[in-house]
């Protein structure tokens, strides 16, 4: 209204007082453009009023100077008002659409169960969702425009995190993997977030900011730490128990051997049963130790000398009839592979009679190595075979153990990427002995044996003639 009043005064002053038809009407574009930006199409009325003001003022005070130029100028006012108002409508429409999309995105982010934040290239918070505000203990207006690092990053980590942020903006790419990042809440509590972010750019390709998301994993980290401490404490107790039981078993075995040498008859038999019980205790401790190592990170798969492992295990059974043809082959396994042979050869020796014969064979089959441990013992019934390698599965023999040995064997073989199963040594005749077979992945790396190579024809290792 002030600009229109000025326009009326200028028209009167130049026409009535100065009697001039100058270009003062150029001032009229200012109210026309402003009203077009503010009121859109209603600005055409203002333009029509100002155009009419030019014509009427000229007719009243300077009718002899009225020309087509004055009518054209009045028409130009209306054209300018129409064009500017149309552009204003488009701009406001786009602004409304952007606002609608922003509000929609904000609603999406608000229902998310994790923190979402947009950090500008100037390190300030441009947008943050409701969960992020609740997590950090702030209201949205308290965070918007604040420096992210000064506000929520622990003081000791601020400089390092700023450098990482600046590097990500400079190379237009953030680290792709998820990281654990601590943040500080308004109350001073420190939370750990599973953090992931990405840099986004504008239409010109320049970085606009960084979008980050973080899930609160503080409770999980604390629970894992407590579990780790409990695990370490339990392992300490197991180590102490295993050490003390092994010492007690060693003493018991020593005395049992001394008694066996001095006694005879039924007394000697009782001592041998005592010794068998101690051996069983040693086996249990060994199984527990094996399972613990199997579930630890110490058992990383690597190339191992299969031939050396087989020969070493045969040497632990000097009283058994074991035949084995040496084969210099390396497989993917670890130090626990010897437990597989210890269980299979030990079972064949334990469940067979004193004259049981055991054969270990190794065959290469493409990328696999198939190992067989056969015996002439009582064999395995067909009804028992399907569940023989499951936990606590026992055979039908009165001397069957607790079912852990073959379970450990299966766990180890499967860990190495192989399979294990049991067949009859003579197909269709279980009473003629069992044939335990398993596969391992062959290692194709160059052979580097630590011992002199075996003769080309192969050599048969026999534990007892």
């Amino acid at each position: 209204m002030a600009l229109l009043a000025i326009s009326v005064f200028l028209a009167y002053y130049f026409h009535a007082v100065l009697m001039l038809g100058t270009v003062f009407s150029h001032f009229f574009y200012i109210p026309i453009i402003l009203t077009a930006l503010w009121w859109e199409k209603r600005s055409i009325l203002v333009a029509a009023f100002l155009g009419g003001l030019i014509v009427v003022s000229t007719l009243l005070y300077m009718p002899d100077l009225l020309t087509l130029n004055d009518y054209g100028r009045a028409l130009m006012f209306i054209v300018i008002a129409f064009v500017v108002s149309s552009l204003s409508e488009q701009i406001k429409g786009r602004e409304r659409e952007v606002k609608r999309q922003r509000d929609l995105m904000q609603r999406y982010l608000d229902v998310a169960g994790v923190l979402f934040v947009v950090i500008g290239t100037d390190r300030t918070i441009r947008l943050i969702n409701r969960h992020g505000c609740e997590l950090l203990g702030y209201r949205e207006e308290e965070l918007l425009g604040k420096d992210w690092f000064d506000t929520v990053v622990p003081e000791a980590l601020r400089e390092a995190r700023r450098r990482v942020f600046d590097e990500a903006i400079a190379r237009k790419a953030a680290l792709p993997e998820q990281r654990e990042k601590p943040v500080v809440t308004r109350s001073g509590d420190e939370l750990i977030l599973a953090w992931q972010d990405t840099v986004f750019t504008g239409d010109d390709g320049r970085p606009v900011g960084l979008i980050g998301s973080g899930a609160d994993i503080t409770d999980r980290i604390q629970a894992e730490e407590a579990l780790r401490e409990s695990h370490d404490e339990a392992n300490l107790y197991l180590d102490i128990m295993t050490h003390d039981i092994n010492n007690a078993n060693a003493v018991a075995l020593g005395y049992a051997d001394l008694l066996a040498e001095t006694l005879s008859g039924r007394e000697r038999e009782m001592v041998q049963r005592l010794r068998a019980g101690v051996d069983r205790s040693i086996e249990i401790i060994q199984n527990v130790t094996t399972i613990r190592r199997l579930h630890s990170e110490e058992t990383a798969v690597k190339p191992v000398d299969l031939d050396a492992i087989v020969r070493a295990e045969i040497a632990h059974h000097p009283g058994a009839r074991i035949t084995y043809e040496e084969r210099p082959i390396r497989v993917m396994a670890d130090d626990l592979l010897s437990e597989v042979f210890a269980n299979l050869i030990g079972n064949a020796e334990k469940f067979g009679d004193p004259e049981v014969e055991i054969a270990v064979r190794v065959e290469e089959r493409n990328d696999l190595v198939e190992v067989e441990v056969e015996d002439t013992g009582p064999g395995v019934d067909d009804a028992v075979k399907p569940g023989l390698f499951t936990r606590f599965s026992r055979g039908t023999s009165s001397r069957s153990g607790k079912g852990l040995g073959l379970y450990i064997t299966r766990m180890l073989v499967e860990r190495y990427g192989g399979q294990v199963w049991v067949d009859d040594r003579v197909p269709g005749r279980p009473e003629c002995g069992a044939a335990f077979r398993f596969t391992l992945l062959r290692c194709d790396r160059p052979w580097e044996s630590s011992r002199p190579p075996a003769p080309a024809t192969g050599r048969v290792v026999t534990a007892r003639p």
Side-chain angles (χ1 to χ4, degrees):
M1 296 302 295
L3 292 174
L4 289 178
I6 293 173
S7 299
V8 171
F9 171 77
L10 290 176
Y12 168 77
Y13 181 75
F14 276 87
H15 285 164
V17 178
L18 301 180
M19 302 297 289
L20 296 174
T22 61
V23 292
F24 70 90
S25 59
H26 290 174
F27 174 82
F28 292 0
Y29 288 112
I30 297 177
I32 292 173
I33 292 174
L34 289 178
T35 52
L37 292 175
W38 294 338
W39 302 336
E40 299 171 357
K41 292 296 177 57
R42 283 176 292 181
S43 63
I44 296 176
L45 297 177
V46 174
F49 169 77
L50 293 176
L53 179 64
I54 289 289
V55 175
V56 171
S57 176
T58 304
L59 287 173
L60 288 177
Y61 300 107
M62 303 174 61
D64 55 328
L65 297 179
L66 186 65
T67 63
L68 290 176
N69 184 52
D70 295 315
Y71 293 105
R73 186 173 303 157
L75 180 62
M76 183 60 66
F77 290 162
I78 296 175
V79 172
I80 292 295
F82 178 80
V83 171
V84 175
S85 62
S86 298
L87 293 176
S88 177
E89 283 184 348
Q90 294 180 18
I91 292 172
K92 289 183 178 180
R94 292 179 180 178
E95 288 177 349
R96 287 192 293 268
E97 179 64 20
V98 169
K99 185 178 183 301
R100 189 184 70 82
Q101 293 292 342
R102 184 183 183 279
D103 293 342
L104 182 62
M105 181 181 68
Q106 185 71 50
R107 286 198 294 271
Y108 288 156
L109 296 181
D110 285 343
V111 299
V114 297
L115 178 149
F116 275 100
V117 63
V118 176
I119 306 172
T121 54
D122 58 355
R123 304 172 182 169
T124 59
I125 301 172
R126 302 291 181 84
L127 182 147
I128 188 167
N129 66 336
R130 182 184 299 119
H131 184 80
C133 294
E134 295 172 353
L135 191 68
L136 298 174
Y138 293 91
R139 297 192 304 273
E140 183 180 5
E141 57 270 18
E142 293 177 318
L143 289 174
L144 294 179
K146 296 293 183 63
D147 187 288
W148 168 260
F149 301 96
D150 290 338
T151 307
V152 304
V153 176
E155 185 175 357
L157 302 175
R158 286 174 189 168
E159 289 304 319
R161 295 271 289 274
R162 284 193 183 100
R163 287 195 298 270
V164 173
F165 175 84
D166 293 340
E167 290 173 1
I169 294 295
R171 65 172 179 265
K172 302 180 183 179
L175 296 175
E177 70 274 5
Q178 191 178 78
R179 292 94 70 196
E180 293 179 2
K181 288 192 173 183
V183 295
V184 178
T185 66
R186 184 173 189 173
S187 61
D189 297 329
E190 188 169 299
L191 304 177
I192 300 177
L193 304 182
W195 185 264
Q196 199 157 11
D197 50 33
T198 182
V199 175
F200 67 101
T201 58
D203 295 336
D204 57 357
R206 294 182 179 180
V208 176
L210 182 143
I211 300 177
S213 66
D216 184 10
I217 57 172
T218 307
D219 293 340
R220 192 193 78 187
I221 295 296
Q222 293 174 348
E224 289 177 352
E225 183 63 29
L227 181 62
R228 190 178 300 109
E229 291 177 358
S230 299
H231 181 268
D232 293 341
E233 185 177 0
N235 278 334
L236 175 62
Y237 294 151
L238 283 172
D239 289 338
I240 295 173
M241 182 184 68
T242 300
H243 179 268
D244 291 347
I245 292 176
N246 283 335
N247 287 341
N249 286 337
V251 173
L253 283 178
Y255 280 110
D257 290 338
L258 289 175
L259 286 174
E261 293 177 359
T262 58
L263 299 176
S264 61
R266 181 165 180 75
E267 289 80 3
R268 183 184 180 89
E269 181 181 348
M270 294 175 63
V271 171
Q272 290 176 342
R273 290 181 180 179
L274 172 63
R275 195 185 195 289
V278 176
D279 288 338
R280 180 58 186 155
S281 174
I282 294 174
E283 181 182 351
I284 292 173
I285 295 297
Q286 183 178 1
N287 285 338
V288 171
T289 302
T290 301
I291 292 176
R292 286 177 60 198
R293 290 186 60 191
L294 186 60
H295 289 288
S296 71
E297 296 181 357
E298 300 174 5
T299 55
V301 175
K302 60 185 179 182
V304 298
D305 186 346
L306 177 63
D307 180 67
I309 290 176
V310 175
R311 289 185 298 106
E313 189 56 39
I314 291 175
H316 292 158
H317 300 270
R321 296 176 178 268
I322 305 175
T323 58
Y324 164 65
E325 182 178 349
E326 294 186 359
R327 297 290 300 274
I329 298 175
R330 290 205 304 175
V331 295
M332 297 303 294
D334 54 36
D335 297 336
L336 291 177
L337 180 58
S338 59
E339 296 293 330
V340 174
F341 292 97
N343 286 325
L344 297 181
I345 295 176
N347 283 350
E349 187 178 16
K350 179 168 61 175
F351 299 136
D353 55 47
E355 300 301 321
V356 66
E357 296 181 359
I358 304 170
V360 180
R361 299 185 181 90
V362 176
E363 297 291 338
E364 296 182 69
R365 303 184 185 279
N366 297 324
D367 295 333
L368 296 177
V369 174
E370 183 175 306
V371 182
E372 299 178 359
V373 179
E374 298 182 349
D375 65 73
T376 58
V380 180
D381 292 340
D382 291 338
V384 177
K385 289 175 183 175
L388 190 62
F389 295 94
T390 57
R391 189 174 183 181
F392 301 127
S393 175
R394 303 176 61 180
T396 56
S397 170
S398 60
R399 288 175 287 179
S400 296
K402 299 298 182 182
L404 279 178
L406 293 180
Y407 169 71
I408 292 173
T409 297
R410 179 177 66 85
M411 289 180 65
L412 287 169
V413 171
E414 290 180 352
R415 177 182 178 84
Y416 305 147
Q419 294 179 329
V420 61
W421 66 97
V422 60
D423 291 327
D424 298 329
R425 186 178 67 86
V426 178
R429 300 184 61 185
E431 70 279 3
C432 292
F436 287 85
R437 298 184 172 94
F438 62 92
T439 58
L440 299 170
L441 298 178
R442 188 177 67 183
C443 177
D444 293 328
R445 298 182 186 179
W447 172 255
E448 297 176 359
S449 177
S450 58
R451 62 185 180 87
T457 57
R459 182 164 61 93
V460 175
V461 176
T462 305
R464 192 180 72 179

